[in-house]
Amino acid sequence: MKKVIFIIGLLFILSCQKFLDEPIRGVQTVDNYFQTEEECEGFLMGCYKGMYQNDWWMIQFFYVLTETATDDAWLSNPTQSELDYKDFSRFQVTPSNDYLYPFWEYMYKNIFQCNLAIESYKESPVIESNPEFIRDLVAEVRFIRAYCYFELVKNFEELPLITATLSPDDLQGITKSSQDEVYSQIEADFLFASKYLPDAYEAVDLGRATKGAAWAFLSKAYLYHENWQQAKIYADSVIDHGGYALEPEFGNIWDINNRNGMESIYEIQTNYDPNYANGNSMPILTGGREDHGWYYAAPSSDLENAYLAQNDTLRLRATIIKAYNEATAETDDVGKASVYDTDGTTIAVPSFTVSRLRDSKSMRINRKFYILPEDRIPNYGHDYRNYIPKNHIVLRLAEIKLARAEAMWHMIHTVGGADFSEADIINGDIHDIRSRVNLPDIISSGDQLLLDLYQERRLELAGELKRWDEIRRAKHPSDGLPLVNRIMGSNGTFVNYNTEQNTDWWETQSPYANREPNDKGIDYSLGREWLPIPAHDAGSLK
């Protein structure tokens, strides 16, 4: 029986059928594909495309919705609050949620495409003429497959682990794998990739996975898997040998003109072409309604207060744009704000309209995705949401420094026998990160130091759509339960703040503040930090 391959264009069409049952359509045999280096490399490019997709609802919106289930952001857009969106923000996601399935579906479609590539490369005649070329392509594909599984395993407690091309019959009744089993495969794939990926590429190939990127994802995967020694080992490799450096100005990290900057380890590439949707939808998804945006995942006053508590002005201005005319809002119905430039001190836009009052919960928007007017494409807005050439930074050096600091804490307090001290954590990576934004060193120790490291991650990475993952994997040192268990729920700090302590005018007193309930997160209970497997496929799994 001849093996078949998906035509890439059909692979990405959403089907109303169960994905795991979906028949293979639009096929070619391996007799007439994967015959040349160009064909092999071209198929790889489809695997890269599958990591982020090109329309907002496929993968990108999932990260926006999960961010709304955290203390960093509100759903915000009240006109949409009665749709399936709100179930994410209130920990009420069911298997039939319409915005749960696309993320699951398109991640698995890309995994299937990666499996097909790996098997087909090994049967290609190119392996005889250029085995190193095929080996290196396999390394890239395994990097992509590991990335997709990493995104899945962070969200679903159990899931099918598929590393070969299977027929629809074979997929029926496939057994779900445990967290440990999936993480072991992720680590094996990233490890293989790290052995054969190059240190860097020429400019034309920027965005392809490098050795440093594989090391970085290995460190992060080991951190999530709580293998502290390995997390530190690969963080050391990235920091000491990866060739990356912290950006001197924090606000420059996400600037649209700073593509593949010195701090970036891996980022999704975009470009503007009016004929092709090769852009990033995030500026529109998170932008203000009066600025062509959809106004989701608006930063919370709780997040702003976290910056203010530490006098963290530079990171605050680079993360949150906030309307300031509260006193006149009831009459003018518009929230105005100043937008700071990348230096954090110069005002780039003196009177930016965040949103109209009726469309807002917090009158704040995410600065990291905001694009200054002079840097926008022609026809910037809703109809061109998928054409915006703003790269998406997936992993950067500061995050790996934070990972190393946390791993070191656990090697001191959880594992024992470390040949370094807490002072090395405070005076090393954490000093580097905080001094960049003119903040003093942390002076805590013991359990409080770990909590301060968690807070530093929050302040450094806020707005990058990672808080959902962070509060569910990081454990409180006093009880070993995930942080979300203290932040959300009937006694959660975020819930109590918003129901009893919050005095922010926009979130509590404006005429439309109650369009999104202040008790967001009250429905959380232990176990709800995991998302259910979508109903489309749940019945096909054991």
Side-chain angles (χ1 to χ4, degrees):
M1 177 180 175
K2 291 183 178 180
K3 187 185 296 183
V4 295
I5 68 171
F6 293 101
I7 296 296
I8 295 174
L10 289 179
L11 177 63
F12 295 127
I13 294 175
L14 179 64
S15 171
C16 60
Q17 298 175 339
K18 292 182 178 181
F19 173 63
L20 294 180
D21 298 342
E22 188 174 334
I24 299 172
R25 296 165 295 156
V27 299
Q28 291 180 311
T29 71
V30 291
D31 291 337
N32 58 16
Y33 204 76
F34 295 104
Q35 300 301 298
T36 66
E37 292 183 6
E38 289 76 15
E39 288 180 346
C40 291
E41 193 167 36
F43 197 84
L44 169 66
M45 295 303 107
C47 297
Y48 275 110
K49 184 70 172 177
M51 296 172 73
Y52 203 61
Q53 293 297 340
N54 62 355
D55 209 346
W56 65 275
W57 56 271
M58 294 175 173
I59 289 176
Q60 297 173 39
F61 198 47
F62 175 85
Y63 296 116
V64 174
L65 290 178
T66 53
E67 185 77 356
T68 71
T70 76
D71 49 350
D72 277 5
W74 296 95
L75 180 62
S76 184
N77 184 345
T79 61
Q80 301 290 339
S81 61
E82 296 306 315
L83 300 177
D84 279 353
Y85 309 155
K86 72 177 178 63
D87 291 341
F88 280 86
S89 67
R90 298 185 64 83
F91 290 90
Q92 296 176 338
V93 177
T94 66
S96 59
N97 187 288
D98 285 341
Y99 288 91
L100 176 67
Y101 183 56
F103 176 79
W104 167 277
E105 177 191 27
Y106 282 96
M107 282 296 174
Y108 267 110
K109 282 187 173 181
N110 207 38
I111 287 167
F112 285 6
Q113 181 157 319
C114 289
N115 291 339
L116 181 58
I118 292 169
E119 294 180 2
S120 298
Y121 289 155
K122 293 177 180 179
E123 298 176 2
S124 169
V126 178
I127 200 169
E128 299 294 331
S129 59
N130 196 344
E132 291 81 11
F133 176 80
I134 293 297
R135 180 202 64 195
D136 294 348
L137 290 188
V138 170
E140 286 187 79
V141 173
R142 290 187 66 173
F143 174 95
I144 296 168
R145 182 174 69 180
Y147 171 87
C148 293
Y149 269 124
F150 193 25
E151 294 305 295
L152 287 165
V153 78
K154 289 185 292 184
N155 288 285
F156 301 94
E157 189 172 15
E158 295 180 311
L159 62 154
L161 180 60
I162 304 168
T163 58
T165 54
L166 301 177
S167 70
D169 289 341
D170 292 333
L171 288 169
Q172 282 293 327
I174 193 168
T175 302
K176 292 176 289 186
S177 296
S178 68
Q179 289 271 303
D180 284 340
E181 291 170 323
V182 179
Y183 269 111
S184 293
Q185 183 62 51
I186 290 167
E187 292 152 7
D189 278 350
F190 279 138
L191 185 61
F192 181 89
S194 72
K195 292 180 179 179
Y196 300 111
L197 291 177
D199 294 332
Y201 291 94
E202 298 296 329
V204 68
D205 284 322
L206 283 177
R208 294 176 70 166
T210 63
K211 186 180 297 293
W215 284 339
F217 276 104
L218 265 173
S219 177
K220 186 170 180 177
Y222 280 127
L223 186 78
Y224 274 63
H225 201 191
E226 299 184 353
N227 186 331
W228 313 117
Q229 297 98 323
Q230 291 298 312
K232 181 182 182 299
I233 286 171
Y234 287 101
D236 287 342
S237 296
V238 174
I239 295 165
D240 299 336
H241 307 293
Y244 309 101
L246 295 178
E247 290 281 353
E249 289 185 353
F250 181 81
N252 196 45
I253 296 170
W254 281 85
D255 184 71
I256 193 171
N257 298 307
N258 186 34
R259 298 163 66 90
N260 306 294
M262 65 177 67
E263 186 166 337
S264 177
I265 297 174
Y266 190 76
E267 64 184 70
I268 303 296
Q269 303 297 300
T270 61
N271 68 281
Y272 173 64
D273 185 326
N275 299 310
Y276 299 98
N278 294 322
N280 186 351
S281 300
M282 291 300 179
I284 300 301
L285 295 178
T286 62
R289 294 287 288 234
E290 293 298 300
D291 191 40
H292 310 288
W294 295 3
Y295 203 32
Y296 290 110
S300 66
S301 66
D302 187 81
L303 174 60
E304 181 183 0
N305 291 340
Y307 286 111
L308 294 174
Q310 298 202 26
N311 294 316
D312 195 348
T313 303
L314 292 178
R315 287 193 293 199
L316 170 61
R317 290 174 174 175
T319 305
I320 299 175
I321 300 172
K322 177 191 175 184
Y324 54 73
N325 62 335
E326 298 173 3
T328 62
E330 287 191 79
T331 57
D332 66 20
D333 194 32
V334 175
K336 296 288 186 180
S338 295
V339 180
Y340 285 88
D341 211 336
T342 57
D343 61 7
T345 58
T346 305
I347 294 178
V349 183
S351 186
F352 171 72
T353 301
V354 174
S355 182
R356 291 197 175 272
L357 190 62
R358 63 180 179 272
D359 296 324
S360 174
K361 172 65 179 180
S362 78
M363 282 293 189
R364 296 166 176 85
I365 65 170
N366 187 334
R367 175 66 177 93
K368 290 181 177 179
F369 293 134
Y370 174 81
I371 301 173
L372 293 174
E374 61 265 28
D375 294 326
R376 296 181 177 184
I377 63 170
N379 301 314
Y380 178 90
H382 170 85
D383 291 340
Y384 280 77
R385 62 187 177 274
N386 299 322
Y387 295 78
I388 299 171
K390 183 177 177 66
N391 283 7
H392 190 100
I393 302 171
V394 179
L395 200 52
R396 57 186 176 90
L397 181 62
E399 185 175 353
I400 298 304
K401 281 179 167 286
L402 288 161
R404 181 164 73 173
E406 187 178 333
M408 290 171 67
W409 187 93
H410 280 286
M411 291 174 70
I412 295 170
H413 294 283
T414 306
V415 179
D419 59 357
F420 44 78
S421 67
E422 288 184 340
D424 295 311
I425 299 173
I426 294 169
N427 299 325
D429 294 322
I430 303 306
H431 170 81
D432 294 343
I433 291 170
R434 290 177 64 84
S435 64
R436 168 167 64 176
V437 290
N438 302 329
L439 293 178
D441 288 339
I442 292 173
I443 58 173
S444 56
S445 62
D447 286 357
Q448 185 58 49
L449 176 57
L450 179 61
L451 295 175
D452 287 343
L453 294 179
Y454 290 156
Q455 185 72 339
E456 192 63 26
R457 289 184 73 90
R458 183 187 189 190
L459 300 176
E460 178 71 20
L461 302 174
E464 299 179 22
L465 308 182
K466 298 183 177 184
R467 184 67 172 164
W468 165 253
D469 292 337
E470 287 296 314
I471 63 175
R472 295 178 307 115
R473 70 94 194 161
K475 307 294 196 307
H476 197 282
S478 68
D479 58 17
L481 295 177
L483 293 185
V484 65
N485 199 54
R486 287 173 177 259
I487 295 170
M488 302 299 181
S490 58
N491 295 314
T493 55
F494 183 71
V495 176
N496 288 340
Y497 164 71
N498 286 303
T499 56
E500 300 177 11
Q501 304 164 25
N502 191 349
T503 59
D504 183 79
W505 191 89
W506 298 116
E507 293 181 351
T508 63
Q509 301 176 49
S510 73
Y512 292 90
N514 62 0
R515 292 286 292 274
E516 185 172 351
N518 277 353
D519 64 354
K520 184 196 87 167
I522 197 170
D523 296 312
Y524 170 80
S525 59
L526 193 62
R528 286 196 176 187
E529 66 269 20
W530 297 108
L531 294 173
I533 291 176
H536 296 75
D537 288 336
S540 302
L541 306 174
K542 290 182 180 178

